[in-house]
Amino acid sequence: MTASSQAAEAKGVRWKLVAPLAVWLAIYLVPVPAGLNVNQWHYFAVFAAVITGLILESMPVGAVGLIGLTVAGVGGYIDADPNKSLRWMLAGFAESTVWLIVGAFVFSIGYRKSQLGRRIALVLVRRLGRNTLGLGYAVAMSDFLLAPATPSNTARSGGIVYPIISNIPRIYGSEPGPTAGKIGTYVMWTAFAATAITSSLFFTALAPNAAALAIAKKTVGVDVSWGQWFVGFAPLGILLMILVPLLSYAICRPEVKRSPEISEWAAKELGAMGPMSRNEWIMLALIVLAMFLWIAGSSPDIHVPVLGSNFVNATTVVFIVISLMLITGVIEFADIVSEKSAWEVFFYFTSLLTLASGLNEIGFIKWFANEFAKPLTGLAPSTAMILLVALFFWIHYFFSSITSHAAAVLPVVLAVGSGIPDLPVATLAMLCMYSLGLMGVISPYATGPAPMYYGSGYIGKGQFWGFGLMFGALYFAGLLLIVLPWLQMR
């Protein structure tokens, strides 16, 4: 790296560090709006600075959240009593949602160490990959099968699916750049577009889903089980899983139409792996157990006796499976301790959820709802709801994190919706939560796996933005034309 490039990089880092402070100071100095007190407005200034830091990635996201939480706690914005303020700061660390998210990363360790994830993907490629369209369905189905028990699309698509499919294009001489269109563009885009669908289809397929549900429960009292989540999105989700490989085939127009070599390659890779190992069988059994407990244990009509209880919380399931993974030796405790990303997310989610709930606790959300609901009061409730969902979906172009988007925007949208007479807030909440996975398709930074596929070189910069807009519009239309009527009928 040259001296000039180092200086430019350093300048960029300084700018990203200063920007959140500038946002905080600008809001802090603005006269307090009518209806708010100084304490509420200054807390909002801190929250806005944190969101700015997250969007710009001024420093590691866990550090941004922790600093923001500390400033809010020391400032006494929630409670002037230092002891009560500290209890508020620490309350988020006991949130079951946060531990569910950490568990997602531990599950990915089990998939990775046992090699079960790699085997599943290779089996699908071997069986369905004799032609290019079939290969697209194999790639999409790999993500579909892994999604219910992999609550991180980054771990699932980026850590399991991408390493497999990145080997495929080169077999045909399809390299990043001029020859990417032979087959590489199609394979990569299909995988990326599919993970956006599965992230919305299964509650446990995307970590921010749990965070969003926690916000919806706290803000407007909306709560759903694993099964209810799936049934509500299934009409669109299953349709898209069928259509996306075909649509990607039509849009990407791969030059290679048949790919029998792919099946042969996958068969050789499976042969090299040998029969399923002990750890793979154990991991498979544990994932089946987790799915059973997530589905049956969350249903009030099905009693699952676990340690004398008829109800199994989703996060309790995670602890059960992780404990069994440790006991059976599928993973070691050192693996958990060394999973840096899991602990960064632990601080990140904890801080962000606590700060977001603080907006509601001090009354800021109620004020915002009253102010911004006024222009919508003259509209029909259905029109107002569609506009709110559109705002929630497309504003994601300004976010590089689905979690920070959910934490910053979802409470506001739900509060505004709850202030409009006759607007079905539960339906609004579900449409917003279902959009979290889908919106990840719209840009090269919209979700965790996006930078991997964008950086592969198989999808051009212009192509990525164009494909993202087209598929984003398709997914959004599906929400309004299929999911909305389906939710209203139920």
Side-chain angles (χ1 to χ4, degrees):
M1 183 180 293
T2 64
S4 59
S5 60
Q6 287 178 331
E9 183 179 350
K11 184 178 180 180
V13 171
R14 287 196 299 271
W15 176 81
K16 290 182 178 181
L17 287 172
V18 170
L21 296 175
V23 168
W24 168 79
L25 184 61
I27 296 175
Y28 190 92
L29 295 177
V30 168
V32 179
L36 288 180
N37 59 42
V38 173
N39 193 69
Q40 293 168 319
W41 187 241
H42 289 176
Y43 180 86
F44 173 67
V46 173
F47 184 81
V50 170
I51 296 301
T52 303
L54 293 176
I55 294 173
L56 298 178
E57 297 182 355
S58 303
M59 58 178 63
V61 291
V64 174
L66 187 61
I67 292 171
L69 185 62
T70 302
V71 172
V74 172
Y77 295 121
I78 301 298
D79 200 301
D81 185 322
N83 293 322
K84 292 181 180 180
S85 183
L86 177 61
R87 281 196 291 272
W88 170 77
M89 291 172 61
L90 297 177
F93 289 90
E95 277 280 348
S96 62
T97 301
V98 177
W99 288 102
L100 178 63
I101 294 166
V102 172
F105 287 89
V106 180
F107 273 36
S108 69
I109 298 173
Y111 269 118
R112 186 172 65 246
K113 288 198 69 177
S114 69
Q115 292 286 295
L116 178 64
R118 175 178 172 82
R119 186 180 295 275
I120 291 172
L122 286 171
V123 167
L124 286 169
V125 169
R126 185 188 65 182
R127 292 182 180 274
L128 301 175
R130 298 198 65 82
N131 61 70
T132 302
L133 182 59
L135 177 61
Y137 279 99
V139 169
M141 190 60 63
S142 299
D143 197 292
F144 179 86
L145 291 180
L146 294 169
T150 314
S152 167
N153 64 352
T154 304
R156 177 176 70 255
S157 188
I160 298 174
V161 176
Y162 178 83
I164 296 296
I165 66 172
S166 62
N167 294 291
I168 294 173
R170 289 181 170 84
I171 295 174
Y172 295 97
S174 181
E175 300 282 349
T179 59
K182 282 188 176 181
I183 195 172
T185 303
Y186 171 67
V187 169
M188 293 297 178
W189 182 258
T190 301
F192 179 60
T195 203
I197 302 166
T198 60
S199 294
S200 286
L201 183 59
F202 302 105
F203 174 68
T204 48
L206 182 71
N209 288 344
L213 185 58
I215 292 171
K217 186 176 181 180
K218 287 182 178 180
T219 307
V220 293
V222 173
D223 195 12
V224 294
S225 67
W226 193 99
Q228 289 170 326
W229 179 289
F230 175 80
V231 171
F233 190 74
L236 175 61
I238 294 173
L239 177 64
L240 288 178
M241 289 301 296
I242 296 171
L243 290 179
V244 159
L246 187 60
L247 291 174
S248 298
Y249 189 86
I251 292 171
C252 297
R253 299 181 180 180
E255 297 172 20
V256 177
K257 307 300 181 184
R258 292 186 55 79
S259 52
E261 296 92 339
I262 298 299
S263 292
E264 297 172 6
W265 171 80
K268 290 179 182 178
E269 290 293 310
L270 284 168
M273 289 184 72
M276 282 186 64
S277 65
R278 166 190 174 274
N279 283 359
E280 285 181 90
W281 282 112
I282 293 173
M283 189 67 193
L284 178 61
L286 292 178
I287 293 306
V288 172
L289 173 64
M291 292 179 64
F292 171 73
L293 292 177
W294 273 329
I295 298 170
S298 62
S299 172
D301 302 320
I302 304 175
H303 298 296
V304 184
V306 178
L307 300 179
S309 173
N310 288 329
F311 175 80
V312 187
N313 182 278
T315 305
T316 304
V317 173
V318 168
F319 278 104
I320 292 171
V321 173
I322 290 175
S323 297
L324 292 173
M325 289 166 67
L326 290 167
I327 291 170
T328 55
V330 173
I331 65 173
E332 298 176 357
F333 190 70
D335 297 322
I336 300 176
V337 174
S338 62
E339 190 70 11
K340 179 183 175 183
S341 56
W343 299 113
E344 182 175 65
V345 167
F346 176 74
F347 285 100
Y348 169 46
F349 273 86
T350 299
S351 306
L352 209 55
L353 284 176
T354 304
L355 287 167
S357 65
L359 283 174
N360 193 45
E361 290 178 41
I362 65 174
F364 182 88
I365 295 296
K366 183 178 180 181
W367 169 83
F368 188 93
N370 291 335
E371 291 297 313
F372 285 84
K374 292 176 182 176
L376 300 176
T377 52
L379 300 176
S382 57
T383 302
M385 181 168 64
I386 290 172
L387 291 175
L388 286 172
V389 175
L391 169 68
F392 186 80
F393 189 97
W394 295 107
I395 202 174
H396 192 61
Y397 273 116
F398 298 99
F399 286 86
S400 60
S401 164
I402 293 175
T403 304
S404 61
H405 178 152
V409 184
L410 184 59
V412 174
V413 168
L414 294 181
V416 171
S418 63
I420 299 174
D422 300 323
L423 188 147
V425 181
T427 301
L428 171 64
M430 293 307 301
L431 289 172
C432 289
M433 290 189 289
Y434 284 144
S435 70
L436 289 174
L438 298 180
M439 66 176 61
V441 80
I442 66 175
S443 77
Y445 52 81
T447 189
M452 276 184 213
Y453 290 97
Y454 181 71
S456 70
Y458 284 103
I459 308 171
K461 294 180 180 179
Q463 282 183 316
F464 209 108
W465 286 100
F467 292 168
L469 178 60
M470 285 188 284
F471 279 73
L474 172 67
Y475 294 173
F476 179 72
L479 275 177
L480 299 184
L481 299 177
I482 297 176
V483 178
L484 176 55
W486 173 245
L487 292 177
Q488 290 174 331
M489 288 190 305
R490 297 177 65 229

